[in-house]
Amino acid sequence: MDFGAVWPEIILAGVGMLLVLLDPFVGAKRQRALGYLAVGGIVAAGIATLFEPRTGEVALAGMVILDPLSLFFRLLFLSAALLVTLFSFGFLQERDQDVGEFMALLCFATTGAMVMAISWDIISLYVGLELLSISSYILVAFLRDERRSHEAGLKYLLNGALASALLLFGLSLIYGLTGTTAIPVLGRQLAAALGHPYGGIVWLAVGLVLAALAFKIAAAPFHLWAPDAYEGAPTPVTGYLMVVAESAGFAALIRLVSTGMGPLSTEWGIWLAGLAILTMTVGNVTALWQQNIKRMLAYSSVAQVGYILAGIAVATRGGVGSTLFYLIAYLFSTLGCFAVIIALSARGHGEQIADYAGLGRRRPWLAGLLTLFFASYVGIPATAGFMGKLGLIGAAIHGDMAWLAVGIAVNSAISIGYYWSVARTMWIDPVPEAAGAIRASAGGSISLVLSAVGVVLLGLVPQMFFHLSQWASAGVIR
Amino acid sequence: MNWPMVAFVVLGGITVYSGWRVATAPLVTHAALFLAVTFAGVGGLFFLLQADFLAAVQLLLYAGAVMTVVIFAIMLSEMKDIEEPRPRGWLGALRSPSLGALPFIGAVLLFAVMLVVYLRGAPALPVTPLPAPTNSTVFIAGALFKIYALPFEVASVLLLAAMIGAIILTRVEGGRRR
């Protein structure tokens, strides 16, 4: 058996194990070294990814495929993991937490996400999903001194387990109906099974799979766990889940639904389009009332998931391409926001939106960058979000779902409300009396700058990334 | 009515009933014991399907090892028995796990679906089933270590992560390093 096709995953999981192994021998003073090891592992896995073939060859007895989409998602997850690792250092040391264990779990979770994205069989996809999920449950509950971190971990575990059960039930029905676990053959077999006396079970199976993946990406009405889990989790983990766990959910949707269930796209296209509209509306409207910034960003991420779903619902190559582009934009905007929040929380700065009063005068750079990331979320021209939404709206119109395009536009307008209220608090409200000093850690500053550069680059010179995402989506719709 | 049919109905009935009791038993220990019955029932169903290896694994691992761990967990955590609040109103009565009608209806429906599929299933499967391997242990070993080698390896990383997580979350010292 030749495992050459999964070198990046082997490297990353190996570094995770090495971290656990070294952790007991590294003193509390030298914990940073473990963080550097994790950074090195992520970079090495990224380099290994670049050397993997990308011509669509199927490897490991049909378990994985090495196509442009695999390359895209591997690099996406590794970039996100790198940024999260960089701003986790300071956060963990501030709270006297164990860096080695945290980084090891981060490596395992990222390995799981990558296995999901390269899967060409529902078994490897499911195992990857579970590796990602179980590592994430532990990461959410990682701050053992904090009650709400525990509560968040438990809620995430229970909801995630339910979603896994639904997914397994759906996948087992699919196997029963088609007799295969290979993603490329599923669609034809499912379409053939429709004409059968049990044809109705096909829709039960598709519905279960869609509901389970909707749980994982936190799409309404399956999003109820997300605000609690995202608010209670350690802040770097919240950023990680919003970007990596949700993007991995989208990778699974693209593999399993866009490609695997392609022949049934007229049906699930409508279901997903309805889900997209509901998700963006519920996310945006609920976000208007939030007082806690992490909770507000949680609802805002629900809304973003709604936009991204639109690209998959239209079931065209262009739609998947704009989904991929938006995922890059979403990565930089989200992790940028979290780099700012973590920099602020370092000296006991609160998480309430009211605590951000007068930030524009105290730390104009941080406030300015947070405003930039919000602008990208809304879709102001010259930011990443603008180009991303343009692509999604274009794909919706080309896919004969103009009402979906209208939904995205209307929802972007609604979202200005809550982003503006934070911006107003930062720039216009007076500085509170008891404001302490704020100092960003070196790693946090690096990831902040990288995110900002990403947002601006995607907004000003998007061509390269457009080509990348179009190239990566080439083989998806068959 | 042939014998496998009778065996299926009896085993399926026991499995569904004890599964329902797992959710509704007022004592945690009782729920655990009913869970063991459910696992054993599923093992019996595997036997009926002539999947003897799966049946053995089901009995050894689930009814044996997993149940032992569950009972240990109940003992170690000194879990108090769940006190179910009295249901309020007709909706509460309908939803209440042990008294209500909804869980019961759900269990009966699941059982009915299983029965219908079994009664009508044989001639009209959408795909031709794989030829039954003569030696299912050899067959499963081949599938596990040749075709599904990657998921098998990933599952080992998954178990490692879960084990590390269990240690992290239950360590007594309370989050501080040494």
Side-chain angles (χ1 to χ4, degrees), chain B residues 30-96:
Chain B
H30 286 190
L33 292 176
F34 275 114
L35 191 61
V37 177
T38 313
F39 285 150
V42 173
L45 290 175
F46 279 139
F47 260 122
L48 276 184
L49 294 168
Q50 291 167 3
D52 46 351
F53 181 76
L54 279 186
V57 168
Q58 173 79 19
L59 284 180
L60 278 177
L61 285 188
Y62 281 86
V66 171
M67 279 320 299
T68 315
V69 176
V70 168
I71 305 243
F72 257 119
I74 293 174
M75 273 166 54
L76 288 179
S77 60
E78 295 171 35
M79 209 182 280
K80 296 280 177 289
D81 287 325
I82 302 161
E83 199 59 54
E84 192 192 335
R86 302 298 302 171
R88 255 180 255 150
W90 63 271
L91 195 66
L94 205 63
R95 287 193 312 214
S96 147

Side-chain angles (χ1 to χ4, degrees), chain A residues 112-249:
Chain A
M114 284 159 68
V115 170
M116 278 171 84
I118 63 172
S119 287
W120 206 223
D121 190 284
I122 51 182
I123 308 252
S124 47
L125 190 132
Y126 178 75
V127 178
L129 176 77
E130 278 305 285
L131 179 54
L132 168 64
S133 304
I134 288 187
S135 310
S136 312
Y137 303 148
I138 305 160
L139 282 173
V140 170
F142 198 83
L143 297 179
R144 281 169 307 146
D145 302 341
E146 277 188 32
R147 212 185 126 86
R148 69 175 188 161
S149 174
H150 276 249
E151 188 187 325
L154 193 62
K155 276 183 183 158
Y156 192 34
L157 169 73
L158 291 175
N159 280 290
L162 177 63
S164 295
L166 289 180
L167 186 64
L168 267 189
F169 200 9
L171 293 181
S172 65
L173 284 177
I174 287 177
Y175 178 66
L177 289 163
T178 63
T180 179
T181 57
I183 288 174
V185 241
L186 280 186
R188 240 177 306 128
Q189 300 271 34
L190 276 179
L194 266 183
H196 185 267
Y198 299 132
I201 297 182
V202 171
W203 299 125
L204 181 63
V206 173
L208 282 169
V209 168
L210 288 184
L213 291 178
F215 254 114
K216 291 286 176 193
I217 59 175
F222 306 105
H223 70 291
L224 294 169
W225 58 273
D228 289 337
Y230 288 170
E231 188 191 341
T235 315
V237 176
T238 310
Y240 181 82
L241 290 183
M242 279 189 191
V243 175
V244 177
E246 289 182 5
S247 302

Side-chain angles (χ1 to χ4, degrees), chain A residues 6-197:
Chain A
V6 286
W7 267 119
E9 288 76 14
I10 293 177
I11 292 174
L12 204 55
V15 168
M17 290 175 207
L18 197 63
L19 283 167
V20 185
L21 209 63
L22 292 178
D23 188 44
F25 303 107
V26 176
K29 293 276 190 304
R30 298 221 188 83
Q31 285 278 302
R32 289 189 82 83
L34 294 172
Y36 294 134
L37 179 61
V39 169
I42 292 169
V43 172
I47 293 171
T49 300
L50 294 177
F51 284 101
E52 291 286 342
R54 57 196 73 157
T55 45
E57 69 176 69
V58 176
L60 286 166
M63 287 298 119
V64 300
I65 182 169
L66 300 172
D67 60 354
L69 194 68
S70 301
L71 178 83
F72 177 90
F73 272 115
R74 273 170 163 172
L75 289 183
L76 186 84
F77 296 147
L78 287 170
S79 321
L82 185 67
L83 292 178
V84 171
T85 313
L86 286 174
F87 61 54
S88 301
F89 275 111
F91 182 89
L92 292 169
Q93 291 201 312
E94 193 91 19
R95 285 158 188 76
D96 208 7
Q97 295 288 333
D98 197 310
V99 177
E101 287 162 358
F102 184 91
M103 295 297 172
L105 287 167
L106 208 66
C107 287
F108 290 144
T110 311
T111 310
M114 284 159 68
V115 170
M116 278 171 84
I118 63 172
S119 287
W120 206 223
D121 190 284
I122 51 182
I123 308 252
S124 47
L125 190 132
Y126 178 75
V127 178
L129 176 77
E130 278 305 285
L131 179 54
L132 168 64
S133 304
I134 288 187
S135 310
S136 312
Y137 303 148
I138 305 160
L139 282 173
V140 170
F142 198 83
L143 297 179
R144 281 169 307 146
D145 302 341
E146 277 188 32
R147 212 185 126 86
R148 69 175 188 161
S149 174
H150 276 249
E151 188 187 325
L154 193 62
K155 276 183 183 158
Y156 192 34
L157 169 73
L158 291 175
N159 280 290
L162 177 63
S164 295
L166 289 180
L167 186 64
L168 267 189
F169 200 9
L171 293 181
S172 65
L173 284 177
I174 287 177
Y175 178 66
L177 289 163
T178 63
T180 179
T181 57
I183 288 174
V185 241
L186 280 186
R188 240 177 306 128
Q189 300 271 34
L190 276 179
L194 266 183
H196 185 267

Side-chain angles (χ1 to χ4, degrees), chain A residues 434-477:
Chain A
I438 298 165
R439 209 168 57 85
S441 70
S445 307
I446 296 173
S447 60
L448 190 55
V449 170
L450 287 178
S451 307
V453 169
V455 165
V456 173
L457 267 188
L458 280 165
L460 293 181
V461 276
Q463 294 86 353
M464 195 181 87
F465 295 95
F466 263 131
H467 288 310
L468 174 72
S469 46
Q470 288 299 328
W471 171 70
S473 64
V476 169
I477 309 283

Side-chain angles (χ1 to χ4, degrees), chain B residues 69-142:
Chain B
V69 176
V70 168
I71 305 243
F72 257 119
I74 293 174
M75 273 166 54
L76 288 179
S77 60
E78 295 171 35
M79 209 182 280
K80 296 280 177 289
D81 287 325
I82 302 161
E83 199 59 54
E84 192 192 335
R86 302 298 302 171
R88 255 180 255 150
W90 63 271
L91 195 66
L94 205 63
R95 287 193 312 214
S96 147
S98 56
L99 305 168
L102 280 186
F104 183 71
I105 294 171
V108 169
L109 276 182
L110 182 65
F111 185 61
V113 168
M114 283 163 66
L115 200 65
V116 167
V117 169
Y118 186 81
L119 287 177
R120 295 184 45 191
L125 274 178
V127 287
T128 46
L130 297 169
T134 46
N135 188 337
S136 68
T137 312
V138 172
F139 183 77
I140 288 173

Side-chain angles (χ1 to χ4, degrees), chain A residues 214 217-222 250 253 268-284 301-314 323 392 396 401 403-405 407-408 411:
Chain A
I217 59 175
F222 306 105
F250 279 105
L253 266 177
W268 58 250
I270 297 290
W271 299 1
L272 281 185
L275 206 62
I277 288 281
L278 182 69
T279 304
M280 56 181 98
T281 313
V282 167
N284 278 324
S301 96
V302 171
Q304 303 286 324
V305 163
Y307 305 143
I308 305 174
L309 261 181
I312 295 185
V314 295
T323 294
L392 286 173
M401 288 192 181
W403 50 280
L404 206 51
I408 296 176
N411 267 286

